[in-house]
Amino acid sequence: MIAIAGIIIAVIVGVIVVWLIAAYNGFVRANNNCEEAFATMDVYMKKRYDLIPNLVETVKGYAAHESNTLQKVVEARNMAQSASTVEERAQAENILSGTLKSLFAISEAYPDLKANQNFMDLQSQLQKIEDEIANSRKYYNAVVKIFNNKCQMFPSNIIANVFHYTRKPMFEVENEEERRNVKVDFNA
């Protein structure tokens, strides 16, 4: 009788230990996925940061008196590049996206600039990079959602609390202007 009770207790303890190990390893895997997703997004943002000075220089040749807008683009790039946390990076990236839109708005006022092959190539490269950034943000947010669910759902939240795993921030659009629908007008 005592032997059976000992076996039952050993099996229960064994199951709990296996669950603890599996839960902890699940957090490690999820955390590493979050870091990998952010690093991937960071690579694409670095590509964009490297492309922006070439774009600014090209625009400068055609729109020298637009120096205020060009300066804002450079400042936003530098701010985004030097951001240290995900929250700071998200905010800085939103500002940078807004300044890039104003840069492309300038090109509308300068037909020669719009027709410049170098500008068109840079604009095309930037559009591809923006698409890659958007996709990497989706991936990052998906793995962060999985991680955050593990942090909040019972019983894995017990492991999260014990090992100090906390929710990670999503990479979100903060600018209300970016959330609005684009107005399409074929009569303009």
Side-chain angles (χ1 to χ4, degrees):
M1 188 71 149
I2 295 176
I4 294 175
I7 292 172
I8 292 173
I9 291 172
V11 168
I12 291 172
V13 169
V15 168
I16 291 172
V17 168
V18 168
W19 175 81
L20 287 171
I21 291 170
Y24 176 78
N25 287 342
F27 270 105
V28 170
R29 187 178 306 105
N31 189 54
N32 289 340
N33 286 343
C34 291
E35 289 175 5
E36 180 265 337
F38 186 81
T40 300
M41 186 172 44
D42 198 39
V43 166
Y44 292 126
M45 290 187 287
K46 170 85 170 84
K47 280 182 173 180
R48 179 172 63 174
Y49 302 151
D50 293 345
L51 188 62
I52 289 172
N54 296 332
L55 196 58
V56 168
E57 286 303 314
T58 301
V59 173
K60 266 187 192 176
Y62 288 88
H65 65 281
E66 301 283 357
S67 61
N68 188 32
T69 301
L70 298 174
Q71 184 62 34
K72 285 180 181 177
V73 171
V74 171
E75 288 170 2
R77 172 196 176 258
N78 293 340
M79 186 171 65
Q81 208 169 12
S82 65
S84 58
T85 66
V86 175
E87 294 91 347
E88 288 174 2
R89 177 68 64 93
Q91 184 179 14
E93 286 294 325
N94 288 331
I95 293 169
L96 179 58
S97 293
T99 61
L100 285 173
K101 286 178 184 173
S102 65
L103 181 68
F104 289 120
I106 287 175
S107 71
E108 297 298 321
Y110 297 91
D112 291 342
L113 174 61
K114 258 176 79 171
N116 178 287
Q117 187 61 42
N118 188 31
F119 179 77
M120 290 170 51
D121 289 344
L122 289 169
Q123 190 174 18
S124 174
Q125 288 177 37
L126 187 61
Q127 183 57 48
K128 286 177 187 170
I129 291 170
E130 291 293 334
D131 291 344
E132 290 170 346
I133 289 171
N135 288 331
S136 66
R137 284 179 181 173
K138 283 189 243 177
Y139 174 66
Y140 171 79
N141 285 341
V143 296
V144 165
K145 181 183 92 175
I146 292 167
F147 181 85
N148 288 346
N149 285 345
K150 288 178 79 68
C151 286
Q152 292 180 295
M153 294 170 67
F154 183 81
S156 61
N157 64 345
I158 296 168
I159 300 298
N161 289 331
V162 169
F163 292 102
H164 306 290
Y165 283 111
T166 58
R167 289 177 45 86
K168 294 185 181 292
M170 296 285 212
F171 211 97
E172 299 176 305
V173 174
E174 293 179 5
N175 188 343
E176 280 301 315
E177 191 173 302
E178 288 187 39
R179 290 183 191 270
R180 291 190 195 118
N181 289 332
V182 176
K183 181 180 178 187
V184 178
D185 186 2
F186 293 110
N187 297 323

